Structures are given as structure tokens and as C-alpha cells.
Amino acid sequence: MPRVKGAQARRRGPAERQLAEHFAAGEVITDMAKKEWKLGLPIGQGGFGCIYLADTNSSKSVGSDAPCVVKVEPSDNGPLFTELKFYQRAAKPEQIQKWIRTHKLKYLGVPKYWGSGLHDKNGKSYRFMVMDRFGSDLQKIYEANAKRFSRKTVLQLSLRILDILEYIHEHEYVHGDIKASNLLLSCERPDQVYLVDYGLAYRYCPDGVHREYKEDPRRCHDGTIEFTSIDAHNGVAPSRRGDLEILGYCMIQWLSGCLPWDDNLKDPNYVRDSKIRYRENIADLMEKCFPEKNKPGEIAKYMETVKLLGYTEKPLYQNLRDILSQGLKAIGGKDDGRLDFSAVENGGLKAKSVSKKRKIEESTVSTVEDMECSSTVTEEAAQTRSRARKRVRK
């Protein structure tokens, strides 16, 4: 969901969708594996679906500390179906745990899929999916920090996102819409960040065969306009290099507070042409975004490396992690896994710290938006998303 002013995104599919019906707290639904789940209070509603707190069925009511959420929409709608396919293929708990173990990671920021199915109510059929519950999204924290993250925080975040991208890429998918509002903190461990919203996820390599490079005018500018890749601007199906390019733009914005094309996001061709021009001269991009002397050389090197990737080429993820780790070392930091959002760098205003577990938990209970969990949306947010995803006019 675009939250940066002027952000625009498109998704393919019908514009008109059925509205979801409210389910009462305590209603029990049964997934395809015959496991029962009890619904709690709704924590988000959009034009196409609702999100409820949830837990495994028992005699107890579902409280505000529920570990899961259930996303529900009329079965004739499409967004959840698209997302569900990704989770079923690539996000089963045992798959994620095996990857964590074999790659010696502390965690992997991919939400776990716990179940799904169809549920009939008042003669209507609803599709649902059960998944982890999360806390605040990074866009809210970014804005609370005067639209700046510290260099250490940007590099730490990006290292974890590279872990996520390597995993989903190795499972035949690309994300296509990496941005702060799609990155959520764990409720239990607020130093852990999770990439959500797989509504634009694309199976770029089905059964090990990479899609061919092909420009399709009908797909031009898919994604969120300020971050999306040059390939996406040209109507080319997403690929691994596109995800890495998007991450590069995110890093620049998180650290500098802006991108060079922010002044004209309503013109997608202008944004595309700007990205092409700066890809040819990364030094100019760095000068534009970081006019002070202390430029993040590691981000420049990352962008230089990514721009050399072929459309079907497999990235060397460890090389990219090494580049960012060297940047941490250059500022006297190390990859300690800690995300510090407590203050703005360079003498900026102090912002509320979200490093404390208690504050994150309070935020998730008191603020609906903080509960955005894999496309969890409030009614207002859904309307914003619906408007933003209309076809971008030239």
C-alpha cells in the first residue's frame, strides 16, 4: 500500500470486486487440513476482504495477543488467490525452517503459511488464509523519524531483505513491490523484519525455466512507481535483478529521504527515463541524493553491481551482502542484528523509540494500521490502495 505522498501502483485484474461480509468473533473455520481456527475481532477491512485475529480453536476466546491473523475474501475475488499460491508453494513452516538451518540464519523474514480453505456463510463462499501476526510497518516508523533511517539501520535492514530475496528467488518467485509499507516488524522480536504482501509476486522461473525477456505495453509501470524497476517500467515481467534494483532505490530513500524523480511521480515515463539516466551514471545519482561529502560508497557499489546483471542471470547474493557489510565496517558498525529506530542521524529530531517490545505490542493493539499483515489493510488504506492501483495515465 503506497503511503509516500504521490506513490502510485498498478495491479492487473478486475477493478470491481465483491465486498466481504463480517464474521462474528468466535466463529470457527476449518482449513484444507481439517484444522480448526477460531476468529477474534477484525483488525482491518478493505474493499475486497477482512482480516481477523485468530488462534487454534479452543474453549477460550481469541484475545488481543493472538499469534495469527486470518485474511478472508469472497472466493470470486483474485488478490488473495494470487498471494495464496505463493504461500502454498514457498512459505510452509517446514520449508522456511529448513532454509534457516541449512543457511545458518538466525531467522528469515518470510511470513509462515499456516493453512487455508473455503468457508461458506449465508450461502456465499469465502476464501481464507491463516498466517503470522506482525507489528508496525517501516513506513510509519520512517515517517516518525523525519523520513530518515540511520546508515547502520539501512544496511542492517538491507542485509535481512537480501536474505529474504534469495529465499523467494530460489523458490521460483520474485516479489516486485519491496517498500517500507510492505516491511513489518515482529510483535515478539522487533529487531526482526518481515517482507509481506505477495499480491504482485510473480513466478519468474516455473519448473526451473526462466521467463523470456519480452516487453508488453499492457504491463508498463507495474509496481509502486518511485521504486519499481526499469524492466517493470518497460512492461517486462519481473525478475531477480528487478527486485534487487527496487531494494537499491529503497536504501537511497531511507538514507537520504528522497529520490531524484520524486518531483514528478504522476508521469511514469519521466520516472522511467530518470532511472535509466541515473543507471548509466551512478555517481550522479549519489551526488544528487547525497550532496554532502560523506557518501555511502557501499550503496553505490551495490547499484553498480546490480546494473550489470542480465535479465535471467542468477545474482551472487553473498557478494551483495559482503558489499553492505563492508559499508557497516566503514562506519564502525557490525551486523549485530539490531535495528535502531530511536533517533534520526545527523542531529535530527528524536523520534519515539520502537525498540522496546512493550511499545510495539501497545502499538499493534491500539492502531489498526500497525497490524497490516501480508496485505492486511484498513478501510481507508484499502481505498488508498485501490485508487493508487488504477492504470497510470501518461
Side-chain angles (χ1 to χ4, degrees):
M1 162 176 69
R3 292 187 183 171
V4 179
K5 186 177 180 181
Q8 299 180 46
R10 288 184 53 235
R11 290 185 191 235
R12 297 168 298 283
E16 297 297 327
R17 301 189 179 108
Q18 296 183 45
L19 299 178
E21 184 174 342
H22 269 297
F23 290 3
E27 184 149 356
V28 176
I29 57 179
T30 304
D31 67 22
M32 291 186 297
K34 306 301 181 184
K35 185 172 183 178
E36 294 184 338
W37 300 88
K38 181 179 283 190
L39 302 184
L41 294 173
I43 57 169
Q45 179 178 357
F48 57 85
C50 295
I51 298 89
Y52 299 85
L53 295 175
D55 205 344
T56 52
N57 188 24
S58 70
S59 58
K60 297 180 180 179
S61 60
V62 178
S64 61
D65 60 346
C68 297
V69 295
V70 170
K71 187 174 181 180
V72 183
E73 73 174 24
S75 58
D76 289 340
N77 290 353
L80 182 56
F81 180 79
T82 301
E83 194 166 25
L84 182 56
K85 287 300 180 184
F86 163 79
Y87 280 105
Q88 289 174 328
R89 288 192 176 109
K92 294 184 179 69
E94 59 272 18
Q95 288 175 294
I96 293 173
Q97 287 305 125
K98 181 179 179 180
W99 184 274
I100 290 172
R101 186 171 60 253
T102 57
H103 289 75
K104 299 179 180 179
L105 302 177
K106 292 182 179 179
Y107 81 101
L108 181 68
V110 177
K112 294 183 180 69
Y113 161 82
W114 295 108
S116 62
L118 295 174
H119 183 71
D120 292 326
K121 183 177 177 66
N122 297 332
K124 296 181 180 179
S125 176
Y126 292 86
R127 179 179 289 109
F128 68 87
M129 180 171 66
V130 186
M131 54 191 310
D132 291 329
R133 173 188 179 178
F134 296 104
S136 182
D137 69 72
L138 291 189
Q139 184 63 31
K140 183 178 280 73
I141 300 170
Y142 173 71
E143 291 173 358
N145 278 273
K147 295 188 176 181
R148 292 289 195 284
F149 286 151
S150 72
R151 192 161 164 187
K152 179 178 184 294
T153 295
V154 170
L155 295 175
Q156 296 259 95
L157 281 172
S158 301
L159 285 167
R160 300 294 77 79
I161 295 168
L162 283 172
D163 290 341
I164 296 166
L165 294 181
E166 181 176 12
Y167 174 83
I168 66 174
H169 292 172
E170 287 298 294
H171 286 78
E172 302 185 345
Y173 277 88
V174 290
H175 187 275
D177 201 21
I178 302 149
K179 56 186 175 182
S181 58
N182 283 340
L183 290 159
L184 307 184
L185 299 182
S186 165
C187 290
E188 295 298 319
R189 296 182 176 87
D191 279 326
Q192 295 185 358
V193 63
Y194 286 77
L195 180 62
V196 304
D197 196 344
Y198 291 83
L200 282 180
Y202 180 73
R203 199 177 179 200
Y204 75 96
C205 195
D207 301 318
V209 180
H210 200 293
R211 304 281 190 183
E212 293 183 0
Y213 182 96
K214 183 178 180 181
E215 296 185 6
D216 182 352
R218 295 170 299 177
R219 301 178 61 122
C220 286
H221 315 298
D222 273 358
T224 301
I225 196 72
E226 57 262 58
F227 305 117
T228 201
S229 69
I230 293 170
D231 283 339
H233 279 295
N234 289 329
V236 180
S239 71
R240 292 170 289 193
R241 73 177 183 185
D243 271 356
L244 296 171
E245 180 186 345
I246 294 169
L247 175 57
Y249 299 143
C250 287
M251 285 193 284
I252 291 170
Q253 191 196 65
W254 295 340
L255 190 56
S256 72
C258 65
L259 288 164
W261 41 87
D262 281 346
D263 60 337
N264 195 9
L265 294 177
K266 292 183 179 180
D267 184 348
N269 291 325
Y270 167 82
V271 175
R272 177 199 61 202
D273 294 344
S274 297
K275 290 174 183 176
I276 292 172
R277 184 172 67 254
Y278 282 114
R279 179 182 62 181
E280 298 308 310
N281 195 329
I282 301 296
D284 276 0
L285 176 61
M286 292 295 106
E287 184 62 39
K288 176 72 173 178
C289 297
F290 306 98
E292 69 279 1
K293 291 182 180 180
N294 188 24
K295 293 177 173 56
E298 67 281 355
I299 295 181
K301 188 174 181 180
Y302 171 95
M303 296 294 288
E304 293 281 5
T305 303
V306 169
K307 84 174 187 181
L308 297 176
L309 287 170
Y311 179 69
T312 63
E313 185 177 350
K314 180 178 178 177
L316 297 176
Y317 301 94
Q318 189 55 48
N319 284 4
L320 296 171
R321 280 189 289 262
D322 288 344
I323 290 170
L324 301 187
S325 295
Q326 289 164 8
L328 273 174
K329 186 176 180 181
I331 60 173
K334 62 179 180 179
D335 185 11
D336 56 15
R338 295 181 181 178
L339 301 177
D340 180 13
F341 301 112
S342 60
V344 179
E345 203 172 43
N346 299 327
L349 296 174
K350 286 271 185 177
K352 289 184 179 180
S353 171
V354 296
S355 60
K356 300 294 185 181
K357 173 183 172 183
R358 180 179 60 82
K359 291 186 179 181
I360 287 293
E361 290 174 339
E362 288 175 355
S363 178
T364 61
V365 173
S366 63
T367 306
V368 171
E369 283 188 344
D370 282 353
M371 282 304 308
E372 181 176 3
C373 177
S374 187
S375 295
T376 302
V377 289
T378 62
E379 186 169 5
E380 179 183 0
Q383 291 171 356
T384 301
R385 174 178 282 185
S386 177
R387 290 193 299 268
R389 281 171 184 154
K390 291 180 181 178
R391 180 176 296 274
V392 178
R393 303 293 184 186
K394 291 185 178 181

PDB file of all heavy atoms in Angstrom, residues 98-117:
ATOM      1  N   LYS A  98      13.850 -25.252   7.340  1.00  0.00           N
ATOM      2  CA  LYS A  98      14.951 -25.975   6.698  1.00  0.00           C
ATOM      3  C   LYS A  98      15.953 -24.990   6.110  1.00  0.00           C
ATOM      4  O   LYS A  98      17.175 -25.166   6.243  1.00  0.00           O
ATOM      5  CB  LYS A  98      14.414 -26.901   5.607  1.00  0.00           C
ATOM      6  CG  LYS A  98      15.506 -27.705   4.908  1.00  0.00           C
ATOM      7  CD  LYS A  98      14.923 -28.620   3.845  1.00  0.00           C
ATOM      8  CE  LYS A  98      16.024 -29.404   3.133  1.00  0.00           C
ATOM      9  NZ  LYS A  98      15.471 -30.302   2.074  1.00  0.00           N
ATOM     10  N   TRP A  99      15.461 -23.935   5.485  1.00  0.00           N
ATOM     11  CA  TRP A  99      16.345 -22.926   4.891  1.00  0.00           C
ATOM     12  C   TRP A  99      17.159 -22.231   5.980  1.00  0.00           C
ATOM     13  O   TRP A  99      18.362 -21.997   5.825  1.00  0.00           O
ATOM     14  CB  TRP A  99      15.518 -21.921   4.109  1.00  0.00           C
ATOM     15  CG  TRP A  99      16.334 -20.894   3.382  1.00  0.00           C
ATOM     16  CD1 TRP A  99      16.808 -19.716   3.886  1.00  0.00           C
ATOM     17  CD2 TRP A  99      16.798 -20.952   2.024  1.00  0.00           C
ATOM     18  NE1 TRP A  99      17.508 -19.022   2.929  1.00  0.00           N
ATOM     19  CE2 TRP A  99      17.523 -19.757   1.780  1.00  0.00           C
ATOM     20  CE3 TRP A  99      16.643 -21.876   1.001  1.00  0.00           C
ATOM     21  CZ2 TRP A  99      18.096 -19.479   0.543  1.00  0.00           C
ATOM     22  CZ3 TRP A  99      17.219 -21.597  -0.229  1.00  0.00           C
ATOM     23  CH2 TRP A  99      17.931 -20.425  -0.460  1.00  0.00           C
ATOM     24  N   ILE A 100      16.494 -21.854   7.059  1.00  0.00           N
ATOM     25  CA  ILE A 100      17.184 -21.199   8.175  1.00  0.00           C
ATOM     26  C   ILE A 100      18.312 -22.084   8.697  1.00  0.00           C
ATOM     27  O   ILE A 100      19.430 -21.621   8.952  1.00  0.00           O
ATOM     28  CB  ILE A 100      16.182 -20.870   9.304  1.00  0.00           C
ATOM     29  CG1 ILE A 100      15.227 -19.753   8.861  1.00  0.00           C
ATOM     30  CG2 ILE A 100      16.911 -20.461  10.587  1.00  0.00           C
ATOM     31  CD1 ILE A 100      14.085 -19.499   9.823  1.00  0.00           C
ATOM     32  N   ARG A 101      18.020 -23.351   8.824  1.00  0.00           N
ATOM     33  CA  ARG A 101      19.002 -24.304   9.369  1.00  0.00           C
ATOM     34  C   ARG A 101      20.173 -24.505   8.412  1.00  0.00           C
ATOM     35  O   ARG A 101      21.342 -24.426   8.814  1.00  0.00           O
ATOM     36  CB  ARG A 101      18.309 -25.636   9.651  1.00  0.00           C
ATOM     37  CG  ARG A 101      19.182 -26.680  10.355  1.00  0.00           C
ATOM     38  CD  ARG A 101      18.364 -27.878  10.782  1.00  0.00           C
ATOM     39  NE  ARG A 101      17.728 -28.559   9.650  1.00  0.00           N
ATOM     40  CZ  ARG A 101      16.428 -28.503   9.380  1.00  0.00           C
ATOM     41  NH1 ARG A 101      15.617 -27.775  10.136  1.00  0.00           N
ATOM     42  NH2 ARG A 101      15.927 -29.155   8.335  1.00  0.00           N
ATOM     43  N   THR A 102      19.876 -24.749   7.142  1.00  0.00           N
ATOM     44  CA  THR A 102      20.949 -25.052   6.190  1.00  0.00           C
ATOM     45  C   THR A 102      21.786 -23.825   5.848  1.00  0.00           C
ATOM     46  O   THR A 102      22.956 -23.948   5.494  1.00  0.00           O
ATOM     47  CB  THR A 102      20.369 -25.663   4.901  1.00  0.00           C
ATOM     48  OG1 THR A 102      19.404 -24.754   4.346  1.00  0.00           O
ATOM     49  CG2 THR A 102      19.702 -27.000   5.180  1.00  0.00           C
ATOM     50  N   HIS A 103      21.201 -22.627   5.965  1.00  0.00           N
ATOM     51  CA  HIS A 103      21.945 -21.403   5.664  1.00  0.00           C
ATOM     52  C   HIS A 103      22.441 -20.690   6.916  1.00  0.00           C
ATOM     53  O   HIS A 103      22.985 -19.583   6.838  1.00  0.00           O
ATOM     54  CB  HIS A 103      21.076 -20.452   4.828  1.00  0.00           C
ATOM     55  CG  HIS A 103      20.865 -20.928   3.416  1.00  0.00           C
ATOM     56  ND1 HIS A 103      20.006 -21.959   3.102  1.00  0.00           N
ATOM     57  CD2 HIS A 103      21.426 -20.521   2.242  1.00  0.00           C
ATOM     58  CE1 HIS A 103      20.037 -22.159   1.791  1.00  0.00           C
ATOM     59  NE2 HIS A 103      20.891 -21.313   1.249  1.00  0.00           N
ATOM     60  N   LYS A 104      22.229 -21.337   8.057  1.00  0.00           N
ATOM     61  CA  LYS A 104      22.754 -20.850   9.346  1.00  0.00           C
ATOM     62  C   LYS A 104      22.325 -19.404   9.632  1.00  0.00           C
ATOM     63  O   LYS A 104      23.130 -18.550   9.984  1.00  0.00           O
ATOM     64  CB  LYS A 104      24.277 -20.986   9.385  1.00  0.00           C
ATOM     65  CG  LYS A 104      24.747 -22.435   9.256  1.00  0.00           C
ATOM     66  CD  LYS A 104      26.251 -22.548   9.284  1.00  0.00           C
ATOM     67  CE  LYS A 104      26.691 -24.013   9.152  1.00  0.00           C
ATOM     68  NZ  LYS A 104      28.171 -24.162   9.143  1.00  0.00           N
ATOM     69  N   LEU A 105      21.021 -19.159   9.449  1.00  0.00           N
ATOM     70  CA  LEU A 105      20.453 -17.844   9.721  1.00  0.00           C
ATOM     71  C   LEU A 105      19.816 -17.823  11.105  1.00  0.00           C
ATOM     72  O   LEU A 105      19.392 -18.859  11.616  1.00  0.00           O
ATOM     73  CB  LEU A 105      19.386 -17.495   8.674  1.00  0.00           C
ATOM     74  CG  LEU A 105      19.823 -17.488   7.207  1.00  0.00           C
ATOM     75  CD1 LEU A 105      18.614 -17.201   6.314  1.00  0.00           C
ATOM     76  CD2 LEU A 105      20.926 -16.480   6.963  1.00  0.00           C
ATOM     77  N   LYS A 106      19.715 -16.652  11.697  1.00  0.00           N
ATOM     78  CA  LYS A 106      19.012 -16.523  12.970  1.00  0.00           C
ATOM     79  C   LYS A 106      17.501 -16.551  12.753  1.00  0.00           C
ATOM     80  O   LYS A 106      16.755 -17.042  13.604  1.00  0.00           O
ATOM     81  CB  LYS A 106      19.429 -15.226  13.667  1.00  0.00           C
ATOM     82  CG  LYS A 106      20.875 -15.243  14.144  1.00  0.00           C
ATOM     83  CD  LYS A 106      21.225 -13.960  14.882  1.00  0.00           C
ATOM     84  CE  LYS A 106      22.670 -13.999  15.379  1.00  0.00           C
ATOM     85  NZ  LYS A 106      23.034 -12.737  16.086  1.00  0.00           N
ATOM     86  N   TYR A 107      17.068 -16.008  11.641  1.00  0.00           N
ATOM     87  CA  TYR A 107      15.654 -16.057  11.255  1.00  0.00           C
ATOM     88  C   TYR A 107      15.573 -15.699   9.785  1.00  0.00           C
ATOM     89  O   TYR A 107      16.554 -15.258   9.173  1.00  0.00           O
ATOM     90  CB  TYR A 107      14.811 -15.093  12.103  1.00  0.00           C
ATOM     91  CG  TYR A 107      14.852 -13.654  11.640  1.00  0.00           C
ATOM     92  CD1 TYR A 107      13.804 -13.106  10.902  1.00  0.00           C
ATOM     93  CD2 TYR A 107      15.948 -12.837  11.916  1.00  0.00           C
ATOM     94  CE1 TYR A 107      13.853 -11.786  10.463  1.00  0.00           C
ATOM     95  CE2 TYR A 107      16.001 -11.518  11.479  1.00  0.00           C
ATOM     96  CZ  TYR A 107      14.949 -11.008  10.751  1.00  0.00           C
ATOM     97  OH  TYR A 107      14.992  -9.709  10.305  1.00  0.00           O
ATOM     98  N   LEU A 108      14.402 -15.874   9.202  1.00  0.00           N
ATOM     99  CA  LEU A 108      14.162 -15.483   7.816  1.00  0.00           C
ATOM    100  C   LEU A 108      12.857 -14.700   7.781  1.00  0.00           C
ATOM    101  O   LEU A 108      11.820 -15.180   8.253  1.00  0.00           O
ATOM    102  CB  LEU A 108      14.067 -16.706   6.905  1.00  0.00           C
ATOM    103  CG  LEU A 108      13.838 -16.412   5.417  1.00  0.00           C
ATOM    104  CD1 LEU A 108      15.058 -15.749   4.795  1.00  0.00           C
ATOM    105  CD2 LEU A 108      13.487 -17.701   4.664  1.00  0.00           C
ATOM    106  N   GLY A 109      12.885 -13.510   7.219  1.00  0.00           N
ATOM    107  CA  GLY A 109      11.729 -12.629   7.249  1.00  0.00           C
ATOM    108  C   GLY A 109      10.675 -12.915   6.207  1.00  0.00           C
ATOM    109  O   GLY A 109      10.224 -12.003   5.490  1.00  0.00           O
ATOM    110  N   VAL A 110      10.254 -14.166   6.103  1.00  0.00           N
ATOM    111  CA  VAL A 110       9.148 -14.564   5.231  1.00  0.00           C
ATOM    112  C   VAL A 110       8.021 -15.057   6.122  1.00  0.00           C
ATOM    113  O   VAL A 110       8.228 -15.976   6.923  1.00  0.00           O
ATOM    114  CB  VAL A 110       9.569 -15.674   4.247  1.00  0.00           C
ATOM    115  CG1 VAL A 110       8.377 -16.132   3.402  1.00  0.00           C
ATOM    116  CG2 VAL A 110      10.700 -15.190   3.345  1.00  0.00           C
ATOM    117  N   PRO A 111       6.828 -14.479   6.037  1.00  0.00           N
ATOM    118  CA  PRO A 111       5.724 -14.941   6.880  1.00  0.00           C
ATOM    119  C   PRO A 111       5.412 -16.408   6.635  1.00  0.00           C
ATOM    120  O   PRO A 111       5.481 -16.886   5.496  1.00  0.00           O
ATOM    121  CB  PRO A 111       4.550 -14.056   6.447  1.00  0.00           C
ATOM    122  CG  PRO A 111       5.185 -12.863   5.814  1.00  0.00           C
ATOM    123  CD  PRO A 111       6.438 -13.364   5.168  1.00  0.00           C
ATOM    124  N   LYS A 112       5.066 -17.110   7.689  1.00  0.00           N
ATOM    125  CA  LYS A 112       4.743 -18.539   7.570  1.00  0.00           C
ATOM    126  C   LYS A 112       3.267 -18.726   7.236  1.00  0.00           C
ATOM    127  O   LYS A 112       2.395 -18.048   7.775  1.00  0.00           O
ATOM    128  CB  LYS A 112       5.086 -19.273   8.866  1.00  0.00           C
ATOM    129  CG  LYS A 112       6.573 -19.317   9.187  1.00  0.00           C
ATOM    130  CD  LYS A 112       6.822 -20.132  10.453  1.00  0.00           C
ATOM    131  CE  LYS A 112       8.316 -20.195  10.786  1.00  0.00           C
ATOM    132  NZ  LYS A 112       8.835 -18.878  11.210  1.00  0.00           N
ATOM    133  N   TYR A 113       3.037 -19.661   6.349  1.00  0.00           N
ATOM    134  CA  TYR A 113       1.683 -20.043   5.944  1.00  0.00           C
ATOM    135  C   TYR A 113       1.214 -21.188   6.842  1.00  0.00           C
ATOM    136  O   TYR A 113       1.861 -22.221   6.933  1.00  0.00           O
ATOM    137  CB  TYR A 113       1.716 -20.486   4.481  1.00  0.00           C
ATOM    138  CG  TYR A 113       0.542 -21.318   4.016  1.00  0.00           C
ATOM    139  CD1 TYR A 113      -0.651 -20.707   3.647  1.00  0.00           C
ATOM    140  CD2 TYR A 113       0.638 -22.701   3.929  1.00  0.00           C
ATOM    141  CE1 TYR A 113      -1.723 -21.460   3.200  1.00  0.00           C
ATOM    142  CE2 TYR A 113      -0.422 -23.465   3.477  1.00  0.00           C
ATOM    143  CZ  TYR A 113      -1.608 -22.844   3.125  1.00  0.00           C
ATOM    144  OH  TYR A 113      -2.658 -23.583   2.677  1.00  0.00           O
ATOM    145  N   TRP A 114       0.071 -20.978   7.517  1.00  0.00           N
ATOM    146  CA  TRP A 114      -0.417 -21.982   8.471  1.00  0.00           C
ATOM    147  C   TRP A 114      -1.639 -22.740   7.987  1.00  0.00           C
ATOM    148  O   TRP A 114      -2.000 -23.759   8.567  1.00  0.00           O
ATOM    149  CB  TRP A 114      -0.717 -21.318   9.813  1.00  0.00           C
ATOM    150  CG  TRP A 114       0.499 -20.775  10.480  1.00  0.00           C
ATOM    151  CD1 TRP A 114       0.846 -19.463  10.639  1.00  0.00           C
ATOM    152  CD2 TRP A 114       1.564 -21.528  11.062  1.00  0.00           C
ATOM    153  NE1 TRP A 114       2.051 -19.344  11.283  1.00  0.00           N
ATOM    154  CE2 TRP A 114       2.524 -20.597  11.564  1.00  0.00           C
ATOM    155  CE3 TRP A 114       1.828 -22.899  11.222  1.00  0.00           C
ATOM    156  CZ2 TRP A 114       3.696 -20.992  12.201  1.00  0.00           C
ATOM    157  CZ3 TRP A 114       2.994 -23.287  11.852  1.00  0.00           C
ATOM    158  CH2 TRP A 114       3.910 -22.348  12.334  1.00  0.00           C
ATOM    159  N   GLY A 115      -2.260 -22.271   6.945  1.00  0.00           N
ATOM    160  CA  GLY A 115      -3.422 -23.002   6.445  1.00  0.00           C
ATOM    161  C   GLY A 115      -4.315 -22.114   5.601  1.00  0.00           C
ATOM    162  O   GLY A 115      -4.210 -20.893   5.612  1.00  0.00           O
ATOM    163  N   SER A 116      -5.228 -22.751   4.878  1.00  0.00           N
ATOM    164  CA  SER A 116      -6.167 -22.012   4.036  1.00  0.00           C
ATOM    165  C   SER A 116      -7.333 -22.921   3.712  1.00  0.00           C
ATOM    166  O   SER A 116      -7.298 -24.131   3.946  1.00  0.00           O
ATOM    167  CB  SER A 116      -5.485 -21.535   2.752  1.00  0.00           C
ATOM    168  OG  SER A 116      -5.030 -22.655   1.991  1.00  0.00           O
ATOM    169  N   GLY A 117      -8.371 -22.339   3.152  1.00  0.00           N
ATOM    170  CA  GLY A 117      -9.525 -23.133   2.771  1.00  0.00           C
ATOM    171  C   GLY A 117     -10.665 -22.262   2.307  1.00  0.00           C
ATOM    172  O   GLY A 117     -10.509 -21.062   2.065  1.00  0.00           O
TER     173      GLY A 117
END
